[in-house]
Amino acid sequence: MARQKITALVTGASAGLGAEFCRQLAGRCDVIIAVARRGDRLSELARQLADRVELHAIEADLTAVEGVARTMEALRQLGPVDYLVNNAGFSTFGQFQDLSIEGQRDMVSLHIDTTMTLSRAAIGFMQERGAGYIINVSSVGAFLPVKGLAVYAASKVFLNNFSLALQEELAGTGIEVQALCPGYTHTEFHQEMEQQGFNRSQVPNHMWMDPDAVVAASLAALGNGKVVVVPGEGNLELARAGLMRQLEAL
């Protein structure tokens, strides 16, 4: 009997943490389903990893129903998956009342609705196998509700609580859920925010991490029973301070 292929589905795979997850999962998987809006970037990633993994590029906008449907079909045809990395995301920057409500709704749909939909689809297959990993890319911002990021931070609070509750529900199934909470990371993530007034130079250099270190911390934490993973000591201190502020507000 042929060995069952180990498969991962990674969203937001064309750059940043998503592309890095693909690179590092290439050492663990036989097949990667890489989903993103920029098909040219996915094709280049497939070329780079051709000698390490079978990568299927799925060009899809996950803020649109059609894009989610296309990804679900890829999951059906190329799955089941052993790893699901819900990484696709973006952030607006500015006062809530000054920002487009459409952009805020797209962000909520992507971070919350798409994560729920793909997780729901993957869990049944994982339960049949008796194993699997779901990584929801959250943010240290989930612990730090600050002005300018009101909806973004709130959507990440959902991902943390969703991951914690889901892990409780899946206890004993062999499925592991993780909420990865990176801080400032050297990716393209902040480019659009800079056009809206975010100033990268105001963030101290020691607060920034590289994508490879963030992803390595995520994958290294699998199997240790920890659901919420905050890479970097500085980020961990920020998260703890944010939790204390919230407790003091009670």
Side-chain angles (χ1 to χ4, degrees), residues 13-231:
S14 61
L17 291 177
E20 186 59 34
F21 264 110
C22 290
R23 294 186 188 98
Q24 295 195 29
L25 284 172
R28 298 181 178 218
C29 297
D30 304 295
V31 177
I32 294 178
I33 308 166
V35 183
R37 292 175 300 166
R38 295 177 290 188
D40 57 337
R41 293 280 194 95
L42 293 177
S43 296
E44 174 60 20
L45 183 64
R47 186 194 64 78
Q48 293 174 6
L49 299 178
D51 61 343
R52 299 176 57 198
V53 72
E54 177 186 327
L55 190 145
H56 296 267
I58 308 299
E59 185 175 349
D61 180 356
L62 293 175
T63 66
V65 173
E66 188 277 334
V68 176
R70 184 180 302 173
T71 303
M72 292 283 284
E73 181 61 17
L75 175 61
R76 187 187 69 82
Q77 291 189 5
L78 301 170
V81 296
D82 302 271
Y83 294 84
L84 171 63
V85 183
N86 289 307
N87 167 73
F90 70 94
S91 179
T92 55
F93 183 76
Q95 299 293 310
F96 170 71
Q97 69 271 21
D98 297 332
L99 295 171
S100 161
I101 194 64
E102 288 76 15
Q104 307 282 358
R105 286 173 173 161
D106 282 348
M107 182 165 53
V108 169
S109 175
L110 180 59
H111 294 175
I112 297 178
D113 294 349
T114 301
T115 294
M116 289 194 302
T117 300
L118 295 181
S119 297
R120 179 70 167 74
I123 284 171
F125 295 120
M126 291 179 176
Q127 286 178 318
E128 288 182 8
R129 289 192 176 192
Y133 302 98
I134 298 173
I135 300 174
N136 297 319
V137 179
S138 180
S139 169
V140 73
F143 306 99
L144 303 165
V146 294
K147 62 182 181 180
L149 297 170
V151 176
Y152 173 80
S155 71
K156 297 302 187 177
V157 173
F158 172 89
L159 289 179
N160 283 10
N161 287 345
F162 174 65
S163 300
L164 286 163
L166 192 58
Q167 183 63 88
E168 288 290 328
E169 293 181 4
L170 294 172
T173 65
I175 302 172
E176 185 170 344
V177 185
Q178 180 187 108
L180 174 64
C181 298
Y184 293 107
T185 308
H186 290 296
T187 68
E188 300 173 9
F189 179 82
H190 297 93
Q191 288 181 356
E192 186 173 343
M193 293 170 61
E194 286 178 309
Q195 296 173 10
Q196 298 171 322
F198 173 76
N199 188 345
R200 187 187 297 258
S201 66
Q202 291 183 346
V203 181
N205 288 335
H206 73 273
M207 294 300 299
W208 292 90
M209 292 184 67
D210 291 324
D212 59 339
V214 173
V215 172
S218 170
L219 297 180
L222 295 177
N224 70 5
K226 184 178 292 187
V227 177
V228 179
V229 174
V230 183

